Amino acid sequence: MPAIERGLVVGATGRTGCHVVAAAAARGLTPVALARDAARARKVLPAGTEIVTGDLTEPDTLVKAIADVDAVVLVHGSDDDARPESFERIDYGGVANMLSALGERRPRIVLQTTIFVTRRDHYFNNGGHALDWKRRSERLVRLSGAPYTIVRPGWLDAGEGGAYLRIEQGDTGEAGIGRDILGALLVEALLDDTALGRTFEVFSGLGPATTDFTALFSRAEPDVPGALDAVEDRPNMPLDDEPARVRDDLAHLRTP
């Protein structure tokens, strides 16, 4: 894989995104923060951070933002329970719009979703089907043809703390992870080719801080090329039952 130099951080002004920006800079990358409001972004991001304006819900505004980046880290998300349609519009639609704006370019992508995306009966899926839409965004990335890593973090800023990391697959675990630890891991996934083509859950806990990320990522089995879901995901979201928009988006990505 070509060396990564400039990475667009989507969701950069969020509580996790700020850590991604800082971790990317610490690793010698040039983080480029996507923001709807540049003035607000300057107040929350480290001084000197490069900022580009754009809105995930407006694809035309993304074309310039992604014009000269080698990679994209997606840590965006909606937590607007009062507007259930926002999960489709932002969590899923933002990924679809980003891929559309990229045209035929396929930079490296790291997508953060969440644990429980395959647990369709979980109460998080009530109302706006937040988990389903996050899982659908994963499917877009897998079929996009881009080199990717999909990270499903545990409860953010919860649990035992610490910088010892463990990864799991199959979406059966439950624990927490610090946002600062997660931000660093997302950047390492961007830089380490061992992480490519893998989807995994990640948790942090007490113990020696994880420093060998190649060894960590190697514990995850790679996804099957061309598969909609991760290697150990339960088959409980049949494509034939999916909304027409989703089927159309996936069909478009599968077209050579």
Side-chain angles (χ1 to χ4, degrees), residues 90-171:
I90 297 173
D91 294 67
Y92 173 85
V95 176
N97 290 341
M98 181 63 68
L99 291 172
S100 176
L102 284 167
E104 295 189 4
R105 291 180 57 219
R106 287 296 180 262
R108 190 155 172 167
I109 293 175
V110 174
L111 171 66
Q112 173 200 304
T113 58
T114 183
I115 57 171
F116 298 168
V117 290
T118 67
R119 304 192 199 184
R120 303 193 71 188
D121 58 351
H122 194 277
Y123 68 88
F124 277 7
N125 224 17
N126 295 344
H129 298 280
L131 298 175
D132 285 348
W133 287 111
K134 285 183 179 293
R135 185 175 181 182
R136 290 167 182 143
S137 75
E138 293 186 357
R139 289 177 162 184
L140 291 178
V141 170
R142 288 193 192 95
L143 264 62
S144 69
Y148 73 86
T149 307
I150 297 171
V151 180
R152 299 168 173 174
W155 301 111
L156 299 177
D157 288 335
E160 298 177 320
Y164 174 79
L165 291 169
R166 76 175 195 278
I167 61 176
E168 298 181 7
Q169 291 177 295
D171 201 16

Side-chain angles (χ1 to χ4, degrees), residues 6-14 17-18 20-21 30-42 44-45 49-67 69 71-77 90 94-95 97-98 101:
R6 294 171 56 81
L8 183 70
V9 183
V10 180
T13 59
C18 290
V20 174
V21 169
T30 299
V32 183
L34 180 71
R36 287 175 295 177
D37 185 337
R40 176 183 175 275
R42 290 190 187 96
V44 300
L45 293 172
T49 300
E50 186 174 337
I51 298 168
V52 293
T53 55
D55 189 327
L56 273 180
T57 64
E58 299 178 15
D60 291 346
T61 70
L62 301 175
V63 176
K64 183 178 179 181
I66 51 85
V69 298
V72 180
V73 182
L74 294 146
V75 291
H76 68 293
I90 297 173
V95 176
N97 290 341
M98 181 63 68

